[in-house]
Amino acid sequence: GKGEEKKLGEAEKGVKGEENKRKKEVLKAVRKVMTKQDGGTMKMKQLARAVSERLGEGEETSKKASKRMKRILEDILPTSKRIKVVGKLVTFVPKTKKKK
């Protein structure tokens, strides 16, 4: 929730910056993975695995890495306008090209 962020001390600010960079990387990877996906829908678990592989955590694309990624995704995907999460399914909503 929003309240938690206020509790973070000054020391946490650097961590936050790192996290934001990571979020951007993760979202970018999600978009890449999702655009390749037919119909743009994937299970959260599949997506987590694909994204952690994509981010070069290949050495340990173990269940642990996927689980961690899944938590990250559950945290950040709702903040993306392009991505809808319904239950365990994640759907990528491509930008609609508006005709003039």
Side-chain angles (χ1 to χ4, degrees), residues 5-6 8-9 16-17 19 22 27-28 35 37 42 44 47 61 68 77 82 86 94 96-97:
E5 278 160 32
K6 290 199 178 78
L8 295 177
K16 267 276 170 265
E19 269 178 24
R22 182 108 174 100
L27 280 173
K28 207 161 136 191
T35 44
Q37 191 68 18
M42 276 178 107
M44 180 68 87
L47 181 62
T61 311
R68 203 165 51 229
L77 289 182
R82 298 247 90 53
V86 183
T96 46
K97 291 187 177 74

Side-chain angles (χ1 to χ4, degrees), residues 22-82:
R22 182 108 174 100
K23 276 181 190 178
K24 283 200 179 78
E25 277 173 13
V26 170
L27 280 173
K28 207 161 136 191
V30 167
R31 278 198 290 271
K32 287 264 193 310
V33 171
M34 297 294 279
T35 44
K36 286 198 181 78
Q37 191 68 18
D38 275 351
T41 301
M42 276 178 107
K43 287 202 179 85
M44 180 68 87
K45 214 154 109 183
Q46 277 179 308
L47 181 62
R49 191 180 305 130
V51 170
S52 62
E53 274 171 18
R54 193 171 177 96
L55 292 179
E57 291 167 6
E59 303 84 56
E60 62 137 357
T61 311
S62 55
K63 288 203 168 75
K64 216 161 57 186
S66 295
K67 274 215 179 87
R68 203 165 51 229
M69 182 56 69
K70 189 166 169 265
R71 274 203 296 275
I72 296 172
L73 290 176
E74 282 166 352
D75 189 36
I76 66 178
L77 289 182
T79 66
S80 168
K81 293 181 186 74
R82 298 247 90 53

